[in-house]
Amino acid sequence: MKVNRVPTVVWLALIGSLFFSSLLFSTVSVAQENQGLSIYDLQASQDVAISAWVGDKSNPASSATFSVNQQVILNIEVATPRWFTGGTRIGSVEIPNVIAKQRNQLATNYTERKDGKTWSRQRWEVTLYPQESGEFVVPPIAVRVQVSAPDGSNVSGTLYTEPVRFSAQLPSGLLSDKANWFAATNVTVDQQWLTSNDDLQVGDSVTRAITIQAQDSLSILLPDLLQASAELSAEAKKNAEGQPSTRLYQVYPMPNRLTDSQSRGDYQSSREEQSVYVLQQGGEIVFPELTFQWWNTQKNRLETMTMEGRRFEVQHTVKSFVTMYAKGLSIAATLLLLIVLSVYAIKRYFKHRAKPAWLILHQLIKQREWGKIRLFIYRQLRMTNGDLELAKFKPDDQWRESSQRFQAGEQDSHLARKLWRTIGNKRKTNQSKRGFRGSIPPALPELERLLNTINSTSKADK
């Protein structure tokens, strides 16, 4: 009788299927065995631990009070006596009136020997910046972890930190919650000036750039100095593009560059500002100095930093000169036009009329017609009191001395005007008492003819 043998390939296939079936069964058994194991079971058995604190962990009570705007580091630490088998994720931190920012996206990993066991630890840092005085509570924060269980399986879940309390207060009576200041451990400032030309003219530009760098602070807390200066300027207004400007220049602020970085536990922040000033007027343009205050948390004192201003000489163009002095030029042109029109009107008025006596005397003195000047003054004397002797007009010695000089032929324009004014004042006094007769005494017909001759000669000269 012939026996059929099973092929070797069939035996191999049967053995392989039995092996994979047993492996699958063992995996399912382990999974079913660990179905009730959770992250909280590991926490209860101290196979995983979580903690959170601010300030000094070894002495938390002494670090519970901070300054307003001071950087407060919230530490979150997860530890296990075995090892982490997956990434750890931290939930968001939200506290009223506190700015929270996780600036370092990577945890600090290290090991620690404790009670004969080696613990693996992950420490995360979240920076907090309280914005006002008061008490603050950091709520429980969710932390997603995955660690190795004692049986070798992987267990993942979410742990929650205990609430953390701290307080903040103003570090100095010279500060307030609403004032523009910040807290840091070290601050540096750099200022640069750039001009479009060495010799500035109207239409050129001046660029002012300021960079503030602070350690243990946040970039959004650093002051915006150039923008604040433009808003507080007494001459500030809006130009056609909606940018702040003055009568001397138009301001075009560039977007600020805010940077926050972390390197080996050192937190650095910077704010870079830049404004372009397009010059609109000539002359001297002064850019003011800028100051700000900050609280030094390392030395516990208030410090003030000042950035010097700068003066520039700007040359005028014709257009800018007219624009700058338009009001003065318009007033001067109006006055000049009024003077020209007045002179023209006076000349036209006296073209067909007799000139006033004072104008005739002025013309005679200008022409140095001293004979006619004497006759003209004697005419004034005769019309005033009917006399022809100057010495008898007034009894005082000063008048007698002046009249003698004039009769002696002294050609002095000041002396002639002085005698004319003295006689004229007396004539006005007499006219106010008895009224103006408006005629020349018949005793001096030759003086009337002289006056008519002078008027005729003046008209012929024109």
Side-chain angles (χ1 to χ4, degrees):
M1 183 175 181
K2 186 177 182 180
V3 180
N4 295 327
R5 296 183 178 179
V6 179
T8 304
V9 178
V10 175
W11 283 109
L12 291 176
L14 181 59
I15 294 172
S17 62
L18 291 175
F19 174 76
F20 283 109
S21 298
S22 62
L23 181 62
L24 179 61
F25 178 77
S26 62
T27 303
V28 173
S29 299
V30 172
Q32 290 178 351
E33 181 181 353
N34 293 333
Q35 277 184 352
L37 193 62
S38 66
I39 195 68
Y40 303 106
D41 296 329
L42 296 182
Q43 187 178 16
S45 62
Q46 297 185 354
D47 287 317
V48 65
I50 186 171
S51 60
W53 71 93
V54 295
D56 187 4
K57 184 180 181 181
S58 61
N59 191 10
S62 63
S63 305
T65 302
F66 301 90
S67 167
V68 176
N69 289 330
Q70 181 179 354
Q71 178 176 275
V72 180
I73 297 180
L74 172 64
N75 297 275
I76 302 174
E77 187 175 88
V78 183
T80 178
R82 298 180 62 79
W83 56 87
F84 295 94
T85 59
T88 303
R89 289 177 294 177
I90 298 177
S92 61
V93 181
E94 296 183 2
I95 308 173
N97 299 319
V98 175
I99 299 176
K101 186 178 181 64
Q102 185 178 345
R103 298 171 65 171
N104 190 358
Q105 301 300 322
L106 300 177
T108 301
N109 295 275
Y110 66 100
T111 60
E112 182 183 21
R113 189 74 176 175
K114 183 178 179 182
D115 299 331
K117 296 182 179 180
T118 301
W119 288 73
S120 298
R121 298 182 179 274
Q122 286 187 354
R123 180 176 297 179
W124 300 82
E125 292 183 353
V126 179
T127 53
L128 308 177
Y129 304 89
Q131 298 300 290
E132 62 180 26
S133 303
E135 299 288 335
F136 300 94
V137 178
V138 181
I141 302 173
V143 180
R144 182 73 177 178
V145 297
Q146 181 175 319
V147 297
S148 173
D151 59 2
S153 62
N154 297 329
V155 178
S156 62
T158 302
L159 300 177
Y160 292 88
T161 63
E162 294 291 333
V164 179
R165 300 178 181 272
F166 69 95
S167 62
Q169 61 183 10
L170 290 175
S172 172
L174 301 176
L175 300 173
S176 64
D177 290 335
K178 297 181 180 180
N180 189 14
W181 63 278
F182 63 97
T185 57
N186 187 35
V187 176
T188 59
V189 179
D190 178 65
Q191 179 177 229
Q192 293 183 351
W193 298 88
L194 299 174
T195 58
S196 58
N197 287 310
D198 294 336
D199 297 327
L200 292 176
Q201 294 184 348
V202 174
D204 289 336
S205 63
V206 175
T207 302
R208 188 178 191 179
I210 296 177
T211 302
I212 303 177
Q213 293 184 340
Q215 186 174 353
D216 296 331
S217 186
L218 196 62
S219 60
I220 60 175
L221 299 178
L222 305 182
D224 193 347
L225 299 176
L226 295 180
Q227 182 65 23
S229 175
E231 292 176 353
L232 293 177
S233 175
E235 300 175 330
K237 59 183 180 178
K238 295 291 183 178
N239 60 16
E241 291 79 12
Q243 302 295 341
S245 63
T246 69
R247 65 182 181 86
L248 300 178
Y249 49 76
Q250 290 183 346
V251 187
Y252 296 90
M254 300 292 103
N256 295 334
R257 295 181 58 185
L258 306 180
T259 305
D260 295 292
S261 61
Q262 188 273 344
S263 177
R264 297 181 180 180
D266 294 331
Y267 292 93
Q268 297 285 342
S269 300
S270 67
R271 173 187 285 271
E272 299 181 24
E273 305 178 61
Q274 183 173 306
S275 290
V276 179
Y277 303 88
V278 180
L279 306 178
Q280 302 295 307
Q281 296 292 343
E284 184 182 63
I285 294 182
V286 180
F287 293 94
E289 66 178 20
L290 303 175
T291 61
F292 67 89
Q293 292 181 313
W294 65 284
W295 178 257
N296 192 328
T297 58
Q298 189 173 18
K299 299 180 180 180
N300 290 324
R301 69 184 184 188
L302 183 63
E303 299 190 12
T304 301
M305 302 200 73
T306 302
M307 284 148 290
E308 295 182 355
R310 192 166 175 180
R311 299 173 180 266
F312 292 94
E313 289 293 335
V314 183
Q315 298 179 4
H316 271 294
T317 61
V318 176
K319 181 179 179 180
S320 67
F321 182 84
V322 173
T323 302
M324 184 172 184
Y325 300 103
K327 185 176 180 179
L329 292 175
S330 62
I331 294 175
T334 303
L335 292 177
L336 180 61
L337 180 60
L338 290 176
I339 293 173
V340 172
L341 293 176
S342 299
V343 172
Y344 175 77
I346 292 173
K347 288 185 176 180
R348 185 174 181 181
Y349 177 82
F350 289 109
K351 185 176 182 180
H352 303 289
R353 294 176 178 83
K355 297 180 180 178
W358 65 267
L359 181 58
I360 295 176
L361 177 64
H362 174 74
Q363 291 179 344
L364 291 175
I365 292 175
K366 186 177 180 180
Q367 297 170 4
R368 305 186 67 81
E369 298 284 348
W370 291 105
K372 295 180 180 180
I373 292 172
R374 289 186 176 86
L375 289 176
F376 203 67
I377 291 178
Y378 278 109
R379 173 182 176 272
Q380 179 80 345
L381 177 64
R382 177 61 180 153
M383 294 179 64
T384 300
N385 58 5
D387 294 332
L388 289 177
E389 295 184 24
L390 288 174
K392 295 182 179 181
F393 182 76
K394 291 181 68 176
D396 59 88
D397 296 337
Q398 185 178 3
W399 173 261
R400 189 178 297 109
E401 189 268 338
S402 299
S403 61
Q404 289 176 359
R405 289 167 52 198
F406 185 74
Q407 291 173 352
E410 183 175 344
Q411 298 180 359
D412 188 349
S413 60
H414 296 288
L415 178 62
R417 288 191 173 93
K418 178 180 177 182
L419 296 174
W420 169 266
R421 286 194 298 269
T422 303
I423 297 172
N425 293 335
K426 182 66 178 294
R427 182 185 178 189
K428 291 179 181 178
T429 302
N430 295 339
Q431 288 177 352
S432 62
K433 292 181 179 179
R434 63 175 182 267
F436 177 64
R437 298 177 181 178
S439 62
I440 300 177
L444 293 174
E446 67 279 4
L447 293 179
E448 184 176 9
R449 288 194 298 272
L450 174 62
L451 180 61
N452 293 332
T453 301
I454 293 174
N455 287 328
S456 301
T457 304
S458 299
K459 293 177 181 179
D461 292 340
K462 293 180 179 181

